[in-house]
Amino acid sequence: MRAFVLTAPGAYEVQDLPAPVAAPGEVVVDVERVGVCGTDMEFFTGAMAYLHQGHSSYPLRPGHEWCGRVAAVGDGVDPEWTGRRVMGDTMLGCGRCRRCLRGAQHVCEKRQEVGIRGGRAGALAEQLAVPAASLHALPDSVDAVLGALVEPGGNALRAARATAAHAGDRVLVLGAGTIGLLVALFVRAGGAEVHLLDRPGNSPAFPHSLGFEHVWDEGSLPQLPFDAVVDASNAIHLPRRALELVEPGGRVVYIGLAGEPSLVDTRRLVLKDVSAVGVLSASPGLDATIRAYASGTVDPRPLVAATVGLDEVGPVLAGGRPAGAGPGPKVHVSPRGVEAAG
């Protein structure tokens, strides 16, 4: 099979590799669609923290936002999985520790992460091997574009739920990239008024096209009471700003990650009686995300600007924009060729 492999910071190859074999408890999936994520770009540059913490190393095959069809099952796996369209959880816990046994495998100390951590190969390839326990079936109403958006959507849904926002509340989302816009879509579906903070100089045209009227930058942000603030940015100063902007008694949700430590004044947190929540993983939100997509409650397909083949992944990771790309922030990959993407 063909696979995209990072061999060093800024270095990559599309290699011909042996096709995976379904080990006991695992399945092999014919990969249909993969999303390119900011984490993949950090591996490309060498900035990803796991590289420096010993959790990851080159060569590395990225890709954790994926969907596909089960091609083969290993011993101990229900054969009815064969032929089913699926996506999979990124976080693969050990299954034995206290955290896993309490249903928190996404924070297992010994976890693997598909395409990210622990040597578990990712989905930027024609085929992928994953544990059957990590699979989530996709209904026919969730097409390939939506299927590869379930994983980021699960993160966003968890962040939206963490705001505890109700109809009539006002929520500010810091960052108008893929995760920020997904959070905004889920918050809006719950009936709250959504405001977006984008980088200075960015056009509000795309968020407006999604129906978000209130799009600001730091210079134009109005002085309004925000019942919840979600930091979905990678800016070092915005975690502190989120705490400054939220109403007393409100909630701050942190899902973005800066490249360096951010400072939050816990005195302000206490004196404003604010609840702060961190969101790491999509794991607890995957099934609810699939239901939201299947019902049409949330439709994030406009976020995908282009679909490319494996040979075009490197320039995308380097920050390039595919020719003819639309205005959305997300690029998808069809490992079997764009013609196969449908």
Side-chain angles (χ1 to χ4, degrees), residues 103-194:
Q105 93 287 342
H106 60 291
V107 289
C108 170
E109 186 66 28
K110 298 178 180 179
R111 70 185 180 274
Q112 293 181 322
E113 299 179 21
V114 175
I116 298 175
R117 170 175 164 145
R120 173 65 69 163
L124 281 173
E126 292 177 334
Q127 289 190 309
L128 170 72
V130 292
S134 71
L135 298 179
H136 294 256
L138 297 176
D140 291 341
S141 54
V142 176
D143 62 16
V145 178
L146 291 174
L149 286 167
V150 171
E151 199 278 342
N155 282 280
L157 177 141
R158 290 190 64 213
R161 286 181 170 178
T163 66
H166 302 288
D169 287 348
R170 182 181 292 117
V171 178
L172 174 64
V173 180
L174 309 180
T178 298
I179 294 296
L181 289 169
L182 281 166
V183 172
L185 288 168
F186 279 108
V187 170
R188 183 176 66 186
E193 177 183 303
V194 179

Side-chain angles (χ1 to χ4, degrees), residues 24-46:
E26 297 199 352
V27 303
V28 171
V29 176
D30 288 335
V31 180
E32 192 174 9
R33 192 72 64 92
V34 190
V36 176
C37 173
T39 300
D40 304 325
M41 293 181 172
E42 290 187 354
F43 277 121
F44 180 84
T45 64

Side-chain angles (χ1 to χ4, degrees), residues 178-244:
T178 298
I179 294 296
L181 289 169
L182 281 166
V183 172
L185 288 168
F186 279 108
V187 170
R188 183 176 66 186
E193 177 183 303
V194 179
H195 291 246
L196 284 160
L197 185 77
D198 204 355
R199 289 189 178 95
N202 281 5
S203 169
F206 183 66
H208 285 169
S209 75
L210 299 176
F212 296 111
E213 299 178 11
H214 310 297
V215 184
W216 319 99
D217 60 30
E218 288 192 76
S220 64
L221 184 68
Q223 292 186 343
L224 293 171
F226 295 107
D227 302 293
V229 179
V230 180
D231 177 22
S233 77
N234 59 5
I236 295 174
H237 71 289
L238 284 182
R240 180 189 71 249
R241 188 75 177 121
L243 185 55
E244 295 170 353

